[in-house]
Amino acid sequence: MNRRILSLRTVATLLLTIGILVLGGINVQQKRIWVAPDDGCSWVQTDQGIQAQFIAKEGPAERAGVLTGDILKEIEGRPVVSDRHVTQILYEIGIWSKANYTLQRGGKTFQTTLVITPPPQKLLRQRLYLELIGLLYFLIGSFVLIKRARSAHAYHFYLVCLISFVVYVYR
């Protein structure tokens, strides 16, 4: 009798693939529901303090008058200790809320008010494109594995495609 029994490698790969696909779907769904707050500025920790490095065009920071090189001292009266702390405070404030920033420019301290917004549509479109590229990798890897299941390198190619799927979809 020439019966083919599924190998442990095949079953493990199938279970891994199903798990990655299910978690990837949940991840994509959660990214559509949950929106990160954005102040339109990239803050970097330097020797002088938390400094504005990049200001998004027509973003909340630019509209509020924040310039590259400004040093952030406080948000809503809370001293900012690190660039990560800025993100933490923005999450606590929430989207579509006003935030009072205390900044320092040229040795002078001033205050400005920003409206915390969701990320621009451009970033959301980029995320969609990356997810589609990841899905394309998965489909190509699956197709090659199904068509060339007995080829020595088909399994390895499939794993590379599966890893690429994870990199693009879970980003």
Side-chain angles (χ1 to χ4, degrees):
M1 296 183 96
N2 193 10
R3 288 187 359 189
R4 185 171 178 205
I5 299 174
L6 293 176
S7 68
L8 180 61
R9 182 177 87 168
T10 304
V11 171
T13 303
L14 183 63
L15 291 175
L16 177 69
T17 300
I18 291 170
I20 286 175
L21 286 174
V22 167
L23 290 175
I26 292 170
N27 187 18
V28 168
Q29 178 205 20
Q30 288 300 312
K31 285 193 283 187
R32 299 283 183 272
I33 294 171
W34 182 80
V35 181
D38 184 32
D39 65 354
C41 187
S42 177
W43 299 101
V44 177
Q45 194 160 350
T46 63
D47 294 337
Q48 293 86 23
I50 312 305
Q51 195 171 30
Q53 182 180 24
F54 174 75
I55 310 292
K57 289 209 180 278
E58 299 180 16
E62 185 182 66
R63 282 186 234 125
V66 178
L67 299 176
T68 302
D70 286 354
I71 297 176
L72 179 62
K73 295 295 184 183
E74 296 178 345
I75 300 176
E76 289 294 316
R78 296 171 56 186
V80 179
V81 294
S82 70
D83 50 354
R84 291 182 183 182
H85 193 221
V86 173
T87 306
Q88 180 184 6
I89 293 172
L90 291 179
Y91 278 107
E92 291 172 7
I93 293 172
I95 298 174
W96 301 117
S97 299
K98 289 185 179 182
N100 294 314
Y101 280 42
T102 303
L103 301 164
Q104 186 177 25
R105 180 186 305 153
K108 296 184 179 182
T109 303
F110 66 97
Q111 287 196 339
T112 187
T113 303
L114 283 87
V115 176
I116 309 303
T117 62
Q121 282 297 113
K122 179 182 176 183
L123 295 178
L124 299 177
R125 275 194 307 262
Q126 284 177 342
R127 188 173 65 199
L128 175 65
Y129 292 142
L130 290 175
E131 291 165 354
L132 290 174
I133 290 169
L135 185 61
L136 185 63
Y137 266 109
F138 174 73
L139 293 174
I140 290 170
S142 298
F143 180 76
V144 169
L145 185 64
I146 290 169
K147 286 293 187 183
R148 302 281 184 193
R150 295 186 185 192
S151 174
H153 300 292
Y155 180 72
H156 298 288
F157 180 76
Y158 174 74
L159 289 180
V160 168
C161 288
L162 193 61
I163 290 169
S164 298
F165 169 81
V166 169
V167 167
Y168 282 105
V169 171
Y170 286 74
R171 178 199 169 279

